[in-house]
């Protein structure tokens, strides 16, 4: 008997926190749900990641209004996934920023990703009917740009592939704070269905070299000290190394995808089973790792049908 698909049984509301990471810098977190960041400058505000729906984004906007009356001028999409991007229509008049690669991924697979994620996360997409369609960036760039919120610089960078091919981070140099998107997770499973496993470790090394004072991961609690930042990056690296190392060994030994999944669980469960969305992510993660280890460099597009077929094949009850 297959386990309940993805997060279809995760229907309990999460406690939302809105914590200060530095001067004019806030972390919107919710017990393992997707995070958003807030950067307040002299004359305007930037939001990092738009949440899954305009309804959830509305809660974020209301919390921002309690700490500043400055307008939200920019929304940065760290990557293209629906739970990060589809709330953007709530930010009326804001410029939507993303990497050139992310725009390409929206063109290539945005519609399929939207349908897939709505089915995977029914709680997050309860208000799916309020989403006007795909979120399209209004401004994109190749690798790096500085956006100025008055005198406050936000340095937006692509420092390597990882969670997706187009991941961006946002750095606030005056505070040493980084908004890392899903390149880093804290006590939450990394979703690797669209990952580049062989690149991601170097990307994390690039992030470590920044020696951030604080960092907001894509999921999990805000990392408010350098020691916590180090722990979060190392946990993410260990998650990826354990997963990909196991699956690569299975491929080298000629195991089937199902056998690779079972062997990966032996390596992963003891260390990571308590992490948020672990069971949800594991089949997608193993499937992508299995492909990459066999030389499939570009992630295969996930569709709602492919999701269900893969789940039925791999995620069986204990």
């Amino acid at each position: 008997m297959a386990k309940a698909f993805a997060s279809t049984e995760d229907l309990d509301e999460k406690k939302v926190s809105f914590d200060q990471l530095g001067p004019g810098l806030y972390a919107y977190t919710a017990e393992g749900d997707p995070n958003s960041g807030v950067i307040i400058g002299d004359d305007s505000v930037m939001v990092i990641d738009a949440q899954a729906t305009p309804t959830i984004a509305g809660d974020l906007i209301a919390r921002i209004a309690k700490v500043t009356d400055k307008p939200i001028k920019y929304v940065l999409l760290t990557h293209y996934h629906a739970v990060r991007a589809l709330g953007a229509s709530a930010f009326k008049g804001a410029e939507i920023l993303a990497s050139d690669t992310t725009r390409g991924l929206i063109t290539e697979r945005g519609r399929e990703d939207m349908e897939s994620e709505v089915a995977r996360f029914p709680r997050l997409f309860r208000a799916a009917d309020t989403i006007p369609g795909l979120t399209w960036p209004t401004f994109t760039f190749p690798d790096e740009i500085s956006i100025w919120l008055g005198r406050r610089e936000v340095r937006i960078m692509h420092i390597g592939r990882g969670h997706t091919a187009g991941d961006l981070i946002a750095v606030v140099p005056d505070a040493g704070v980084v908004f890392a998107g899903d390149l880093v997770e804290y006590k939450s499973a990394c979703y690797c269905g669209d990952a580049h496993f062989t690149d991601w470790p170097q990307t994390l090394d690039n992030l470590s070299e920044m020696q951030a004072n604080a960092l907001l991961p894509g999921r999990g609690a805000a990392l408010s000290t350098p020691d916590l930042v180090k722990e979060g990056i190392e946990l993410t690296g260990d998650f990826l190394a354990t997963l990909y190392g196991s699956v690569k060994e299975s491929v080298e030994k000629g195991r089937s995808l199902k056998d690779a999944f079972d062997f990966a669980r032996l390596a992963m469960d003891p260390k990571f089973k308590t992490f948020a969305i672990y069971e949800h992510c594991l089949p997608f993660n193993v499937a992508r790792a299995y492909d990459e280890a066999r030389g499939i460099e570009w992630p295969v597009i996930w569709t709602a049908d492919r999701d269900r077929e893969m789940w039925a094949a791999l995620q069986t009850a204990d």
Side-chain angles (χ1 to χ4, degrees):
M1 180 178 179
K3 293 183 178 179
F5 174 65
S7 290
T8 53
E9 289 191 347
D10 178 14
L11 301 177
D12 294 335
E13 294 299 327
K14 308 297 184 184
K15 179 184 176 182
V16 174
S17 299
F18 192 63
D19 300 317
Q20 193 162 7
L21 272 178
L25 304 172
Y26 292 87
Y28 182 93
T29 66
E31 299 183 313
D33 276 358
N35 295 338
S36 289
V38 178
I39 304 170
I40 302 172
D42 299 316
D43 60 4
S44 57
V45 177
M46 179 183 292
V47 169
I48 315 298
D49 287 325
Q51 292 291 319
T53 67
T55 299
I56 303 175
D59 179 66
L60 171 58
I61 292 168
R63 291 171 189 266
I64 294 170
K66 291 180 180 179
V67 296
T68 183
D69 59 1
K70 295 168 185 173
I72 299 170
K73 191 173 180 180
Y74 302 99
V75 175
L76 172 66
L77 306 181
T78 60
H79 58 287
Y80 74 94
H81 285 150
V83 292
R84 303 292 178 184
L86 296 187
S89 63
F91 299 91
K92 305 299 182 184
E95 194 91 37
I96 309 298
L97 311 176
S99 67
D100 289 348
T101 302
T102 287
R103 184 178 180 88
L105 287 164
I106 295 170
T107 301
E108 179 192 53
R109 61 184 66 200
R111 176 58 59 183
E112 291 87 349
D113 177 73
M114 178 178 178
E115 294 171 355
S116 173
E117 293 198 48
V118 168
R120 293 182 195 180
F121 294 104
R123 175 173 53 80
L124 291 178
F125 286 102
R126 281 176 182 159
D129 60 338
T130 65
I131 300 168
L134 295 177
T135 295
W136 290 98
T138 57
F139 182 83
T140 67
F141 51 93
D143 296 306
E144 182 172 346
I145 191 172
S146 285
I147 299 292
W148 294 86
L149 309 178
R151 293 169 295 175
R152 179 166 237 181
E153 181 186 12
V154 183
R155 197 171 297 157
I156 304 169
M157 295 182 282
H158 173 73
I159 60 170
R161 301 191 303 185
H163 176 68
T164 73
D167 296 315
L168 293 173
I169 65 168
V171 181
V172 185
D174 66 46
V177 174
V178 175
F179 297 84
D182 282 326
L183 285 172
V184 177
E185 312 289 17
Y186 187 63
K187 297 184 179 178
S188 179
C190 300
Y191 173 72
C192 309
D194 302 299
H196 295 267
F197 282 99
T198 53
D199 290 10
W200 201 336
Q202 180 59 56
T203 303
L204 291 177
D205 288 344
N206 296 340
L207 189 57
S208 293
E209 289 173 5
M210 295 180 178
Q211 298 184 324
N213 295 323
L215 181 146
L216 182 64
R219 292 176 182 263
L223 308 175
S224 56
T225 68
D227 285 346
L228 283 172
V229 173
K230 183 173 183 289
E231 180 188 357
I233 293 173
E234 288 178 350
L235 269 177
T236 301
D238 187 29
F239 186 99
L240 297 170
T242 304
L243 172 64
Y244 192 61
S246 170
V247 176
K248 187 177 180 183
E249 178 184 337
S250 287
V251 169
E252 290 168 351
K253 293 183 175 180
R255 293 173 183 150
S256 67
L257 175 60
K258 178 62 170 74
D259 286 343
F261 178 79
D262 292 340
F263 275 92
R265 187 179 280 289
L266 294 176
M268 295 290 287
D269 282 8
K271 293 197 283 187
F272 306 113
K273 192 171 184 177
T274 61
F275 281 19
I277 68 167
Y278 173 78
E279 290 293 343
H280 174 143
C281 291
L282 192 61
F284 301 101
N285 291 356
V286 171
R288 171 56 193 151
Y290 193 82
D291 280 354
E292 185 165 333
R294 291 185 301 137
I296 299 174
E297 193 273 339
W298 194 248
V300 178
I301 295 173
W302 291 100
T303 67
D305 287 343
R306 183 185 175 215
D307 287 358
R308 293 280 184 175
E309 290 167 4
M310 181 276 302
W311 191 274
L314 298 185
Q315 188 65 299
T316 53
D318 294 334

